[in-house]
Amino acid sequence: MSTFTSNRLRGITPYTPGEQPRTGIRIKLNTNENPYPPSVQTIRSLSPVPRPLEKYPDPNCSALRTAIAETYGLKTEQVFAGNGSDEVLAFAFMAFCDSIAAPDITYSFYPVWAKIYGIKYHTIPLNEDFTVPVKRFIATDKSVVLANPNAPTGIVLTAAEIELIVRTNPDKVVIIDEAYMDFDSGNNSAIPLIERYPNLLVVRTFSKSYSLAGLRVGYALGQEQLIRNLETVKNCVNSYTLGSLAQEGATAAIRDVGYFKRIIAKIIATRERTEHELYKLGFEVCPSAANFLFISHPEGHKFGAELTAYHASVLQSKLREAGVLVRYFDLPRIDNCLRVSIGAEDEMTRFTEILAALI
Ligand SMILES: *Cc1c(COP(=O)(O)O)cnc(C)c1O
C-alpha cells in the first residue's frame, strides 16, 4: 500500500492465481487447464484473423450468445458473455449481492470480490467429509454462491439439492458456478431450473472443458431480468470486455459438439483411472465430478514445524523438483491436501509413478 492507495483497496488480500511457468515444468497439473488443445474448427475460426481488428468488436457478443443459447435451449436474452467467468462472477457479485453466503472451503476468489465490492461475506463450514451442508443454505436471507462441482474438492451437489437452495432463497440471487459441470457424468446442472426460478444465475466458462483458458471467455445463464442487470454492470465498467477473436473462437468451440464430447470422455476416463491408482498408493481421494482430484495422505502429519514425508506441502515441493506442478493451499482444514488437475493419459501415468517413488 502507498500514500496513493484508495480506501477501497486498503486491506485487500488479492486472489493468487496458480503459477504459469514458462520453463522447467514437464507436467503441469496445478490450474485445471484442459491438457488437450482446442478443436481444429476452433483454431481455424481464428486464422486468418476473422474480423477487421481496427474496428471495435460487437459489444453485445450476439453471435456467441446465440450459439450458447442454442446449446442449452435458451433465448439469446438469457445469456451474458464476459471475459472469463471470473469477470462474469465479479459482475454478478456487484449486480446482485449485499451479503452473500458461501462454504468455508470453496473457490478463493469469492471472498476477494465480496471484500472489494463491500459485500458481507458469510461462510458456512463444509461437513467433515467436505460435502456441502445443504440444510444450512436453506432460507439464508443472503445471496448464495456455490461452485458445483465445488473447488477444490470436486464434490458435486445434485440438481435436487441445488433446487432446494434456490427455492428456499426466493428473494436473493443464488449463483451456481458450474466451471467444472461438463466433467460430471450425472445430470446435476442447474440450467434446466432456469425457466422456473427468476433468482437463479448459472455461471460457466470455456477455460476448462473447451480448452480455451488462454482466450478468456465465460458466460452466465438466467432469466432476462438478471441478464439485463449484468449488462448494466458491464456498461458501467467496460462495454467491450470480449475481443473479436475471443467471440469468434468461443462460438466455433461451442458449435463443435463432437470434439468436445470426445475430450470430456477422455478426461473422465483418465480421472477414474488416476483415482484408482491413488487409492492403491494409500491416498484419500474426494469423489470428483471435475477435471481434478483433491487428495490427502493419512500419514501426512505436522508435529510443530516437523512435517512427515507424506505431508501435502512436502509432496508438492518434491513433485516440483521432479518437474510436476500441483496446487497446494496453505489454508485451515485443507493444509494436508493437494489438488491435482487431470492431465493427458501419459502425464497422469508419469505423475502416479513419480508420486509412488516419493512415498
Ligand atoms: C477456473 C474457475 C473459474 C474461472 O474461470 P475463468 O473463466 O477462466 O475466469 C471460476 N470458478 C471456478 C470455481 C473455477 O475453478
Side-chain angles (χ1 to χ4, degrees):
M1 297 299 123
S2 75
T3 47
F4 306 115
T5 308
S6 69
N7 287 334
R8 179 177 288 270
L9 205 59
R10 262 171 223 282
I12 285 249
T13 310
Y15 176 75
T16 316
E19 220 183 317
Q20 297 293 346
R22 296 295 168 213
T23 54
I25 293 301
R26 287 184 303 264
I27 305 183
K28 189 175 178 307
L29 309 176
N30 68 326
T31 49
N32 297 343
E33 287 133 331
N34 200 307
Y36 303 107
S39 76
V40 172
Q41 278 189 43
T42 305
I43 302 291
R44 262 194 212 130
S45 77
L46 299 173
S47 155
V49 175
R51 272 168 197 270
L53 290 182
E54 66 276 17
K55 297 284 193 299
Y56 278 108
D58 171 10
N60 301 316
C61 305
S62 303
L64 171 60
R65 287 168 56 224
T66 300
I68 295 169
E70 284 170 3
T71 303
Y72 300 110
L74 297 170
K75 289 187 276 183
T76 304
E77 296 73 27
Q78 296 174 312
V79 181
F80 176 82
N83 195 268
S85 60
D86 283 341
E87 182 186 74
V88 176
L89 288 160
F91 285 179
F93 272 55
M94 223 190 298
F96 307 119
C97 308
D98 296 309
S99 61
I100 193 161
D104 61 340
I105 300 166
T106 190
Y107 189 36
S108 44
F109 227 136
Y110 303 149
V112 180
W113 291 317
K115 180 94 189 185
I116 202 153
Y117 298 132
I119 299 163
K120 239 173 101 65
Y121 193 74
H122 182 83
T123 55
I124 295 177
L126 292 183
N127 298 319
E128 275 306 303
D129 62 358
F130 291 158
T131 53
V132 171
V134 175
K135 289 206 180 90
R136 296 204 52 196
F137 283 89
I138 289 176
T140 60
D141 197 31
K142 298 168 185 70
S143 306
V144 172
V145 63
L146 289 168
N148 196 40
N150 196 12
T153 65
I155 298 173
V156 71
L157 288 178
T158 65
E161 289 169 317
I162 294 292
E163 180 168 13
L164 179 65
I165 294 168
V166 175
R167 183 163 54 76
T168 56
N169 289 281
D171 302 326
K172 302 289 173 186
V173 169
V174 176
I175 302 168
I176 306 298
D177 178 358
E178 295 192 350
Y180 301 102
M181 190 53 94
D182 288 325
F183 302 103
D184 173 48
S185 339
N187 283 313
N188 296 312
S189 174
I191 296 172
L193 303 173
I194 286 171
E195 59 176 338
R196 266 176 291 152
Y197 297 98
N199 62 324
L200 169 63
L201 190 77
V202 179
V203 178
R204 289 200 165 205
T205 178
F206 283 83
S207 296
K208 281 90 183 213
S209 53
Y210 286 95
S211 309
L212 287 175
L215 210 56
R216 309 303 300 131
V217 186
Y219 53 100
L221 309 171
Q223 290 192 10
E224 291 175 46
Q225 196 188 332
L226 294 187
I227 300 305
R228 277 200 302 272
N229 276 308
L230 291 174
E231 283 164 359
T232 303
V233 172
K234 183 186 85 152
N235 288 315
C236 293
V237 177
N238 173 7
S239 292
Y240 302 102
T241 55
L242 276 183
S244 322
L245 292 176
Q247 295 187 36
E248 212 61 58
T251 305
I254 205 162
R255 291 210 185 278
D256 196 345
V257 180
Y259 180 82
F260 171 77
K261 288 196 169 154
R262 277 199 303 284
I263 293 305
I264 297 286
K266 241 162 108 157
I267 291 170
I268 291 176
T270 308
R271 178 185 75 206
E272 287 170 357
R273 188 180 64 78
T274 307
E275 188 179 354
H276 185 69
E277 294 294 322
L278 290 165
Y279 279 134
K280 286 200 295 191
L281 293 177
F283 282 89
E284 287 167 3
V285 186
C286 283
S288 174
N291 67 336
F292 56 84
L293 293 169
F294 200 50
I295 67 172
S296 177
H297 202 287
E299 286 168 53
H301 296 296
K302 198 174 189 172
F303 304 104
E306 291 292 309
L307 301 171
T308 64
Y310 295 85
H311 194 272
S313 65
V314 175
L315 292 175
Q316 187 214 19
S317 350
K318 294 245 174 83
L319 284 166
R320 194 168 205 295
E321 284 164 24
V324 182
L325 271 195
V326 298
R327 192 85 194 257
Y328 173 71
F329 301 92
D330 192 6
L331 293 173
R333 299 183 72 189
I334 56 170
D335 62 351
N336 187 34
C337 299
L338 293 176
R339 193 195 65 192
V340 181
S341 309
I342 301 300
E345 193 63 28
D346 56 332
E347 290 178 315
M348 298 319 280
T349 303
R350 220 26 225 128
F351 163 72
T352 44
E353 284 169 2
I354 292 169
L355 192 60
L358 291 179
I359 61 176

